[in-house]
Amino acid sequence: MKQYSNRTSKAQPSFNAVNMGLGLCIACALGVSSMSVNSAEMAVSQVGGAISQARQLTEPASADNKTQMRVAELHQQATLLTGKAQTGPQATREQRMAVHQKAAATSASQQQRALAQQNQVVYYNFSFYDAQTQLFEDYDYDGFYQTFSVTFDADINSSGGEVQADVFAELYLSQNGGPWIHYYSTDVFTLTADSSFDDYEVLTTLANGYQTDHYDVLIDLYEVGYADPVATISSDDLDSLYALPLESADRDAVYVEEVYVEEVHGGALGWSMLSLLGAFAWGRRSFMNKK
């Protein structure tokens, strides 16, 4: 399997207690806490008309037999939030990257990075091993879906054993080759070397603001405290991230044509007409007799 990476770092072996303590201090100073591999589902996130849930998987995604339940739950949450979903200007990839660069340029981040680099002895880099997508919920059966999931497996490549790192990811959609538009930011979670038990899944319902079209997916992986992505994967690398047929829920409505039928009962109408004709004939006869 081809791996995708774009930055090399150094870290001390995981058995070094000093470095572990240092890492803990850095995490506290940055005000973030990493997720464990046993973490539960995260709170619902709402960005630009897209409503998402996310979780770090403790087993392969294919073994998760509760997917349909989670899809139904997310759809209910999206239905409740649809009226509040924002459809205004959405952030581009360039704008999100500028935010991270500004945050990493602060003196606090620079001091923490300098402190972390003092005792680093093991080089490592990041890569994506794989990324898969699934489509759910096409109520009008037009081939375009309002709910989809992205599951990715990111790894740390190192010769120093079980190296760990705290990371987060930014996810983007591109409509039919257009600009990359941000739709989800993951929480901070922990990668452990090349473990196959730290896959990350993002389940999303497009509530409103997304035209019926084909969308590509891009994922940027960031190491906490650094300005630039440490690994990127997109539709340029994998077909599974290419041309997803999507539309927002407000375009996926099922229209039921109401047919009104006026029932005419021939028997009742026949007797009524006969009664009227009989009354007319009797009246005419009475009139003629008077003459």
Side-chain angles (χ1 to χ4, degrees):
M1 175 67 69
K2 182 180 178 181
Q3 293 180 327
Y4 313 89
S5 63
N6 59 2
R7 190 176 73 79
T8 300
S9 301
K10 296 195 299 180
Q12 199 157 0
S14 59
F15 56 80
N16 190 316
V18 175
N19 191 53
M20 290 178 64
L22 181 61
L24 181 60
C25 293
I26 294 173
C28 293
L30 292 173
V32 296
S33 59
S34 63
M35 294 174 54
S36 69
V37 295
N38 295 319
S39 61
E41 295 175 11
M42 286 187 254
V44 176
S45 172
Q46 178 181 322
V47 178
I51 299 173
S52 304
Q53 286 180 350
R55 60 175 181 169
Q56 190 171 12
L57 301 177
T58 57
E59 58 185 8
S62 59
D64 181 8
N65 59 3
K66 297 183 179 179
T67 300
Q68 292 299 334
M69 293 178 59
R70 295 186 63 245
V71 170
E73 178 188 353
L74 178 63
H75 181 70
Q76 292 177 353
Q77 294 166 330
T79 300
L80 293 174
L81 294 173
T82 294
K84 301 177 181 179
Q86 301 299 316
T87 57
Q90 297 167 308
T92 65
R93 186 183 181 212
E94 291 74 16
Q95 290 171 332
R96 292 298 298 173
M97 294 176 74
V99 169
H100 295 306
Q101 290 170 353
K102 183 177 180 180
T106 63
S107 58
S109 292
Q110 293 173 354
Q111 291 174 1
Q112 294 301 330
R113 287 199 301 273
L115 182 63
Q117 292 171 357
Q118 289 180 2
N119 296 317
Q120 292 173 342
V121 295
V122 176
Y123 287 90
Y124 64 88
N125 62 21
F126 296 84
S127 66
F128 282 98
Y129 179 74
D130 195 17
Q132 297 295 327
T133 57
Q134 283 186 280
L135 300 172
F136 308 95
E137 295 186 330
D138 174 21
Y139 289 153
D140 59 6
Y141 297 101
D142 63 350
F144 291 83
Y145 295 76
Q146 62 173 283
T147 300
F148 68 103
S149 69
V150 177
T151 304
F152 57 90
D153 179 11
D155 292 329
I156 304 174
N157 308 305
S158 169
S159 60
E162 295 292 313
V163 176
Q164 292 186 331
D166 289 336
V167 298
F168 63 94
E170 299 280 19
L171 280 75
Y172 303 88
L173 289 174
S174 169
Q175 180 183 348
N176 196 24
W180 293 109
I181 302 298
H182 174 256
Y183 78 93
Y184 188 72
S185 300
T186 75
D187 239 341
V188 176
F189 60 100
T190 301
L191 291 182
T192 303
D194 58 354
S195 172
S196 58
F197 298 103
D198 55 6
D199 289 9
Y200 203 92
E201 178 191 65
V202 178
L203 182 65
T204 301
T205 287
L206 303 177
N208 52 37
Y210 289 84
Q211 297 179 356
T212 301
D213 211 333
H214 292 87
Y215 292 80
D216 298 343
V217 178
L218 181 144
I219 309 169
D220 277 336
L221 186 72
Y222 286 83
E223 185 177 11
V224 172
Y226 287 86
D228 299 317
V230 296
T232 297
I233 193 169
S234 72
S235 52
D236 292 336
D237 306 303
L238 291 176
D239 289 341
S240 59
L241 303 179
Y242 173 73
L244 274 63
L246 301 174
E247 63 184 358
S248 51
D250 56 354
R251 299 173 181 269
D252 193 32
V254 178
Y255 296 96
V256 179
E257 183 178 357
E258 296 184 1
V259 179
Y260 296 93
V261 178
E262 182 179 356
E263 295 185 3
V264 178
H265 299 285
L269 181 60
W271 284 111
S272 298
M273 290 299 295
L274 287 175
S275 299
L276 290 173
L277 288 174
F280 177 78
W282 181 82
R284 186 173 184 273
R285 182 177 179 181
S286 298
F287 180 77
M288 294 298 294
N289 289 337
K290 288 181 178 180
K291 287 185 177 182

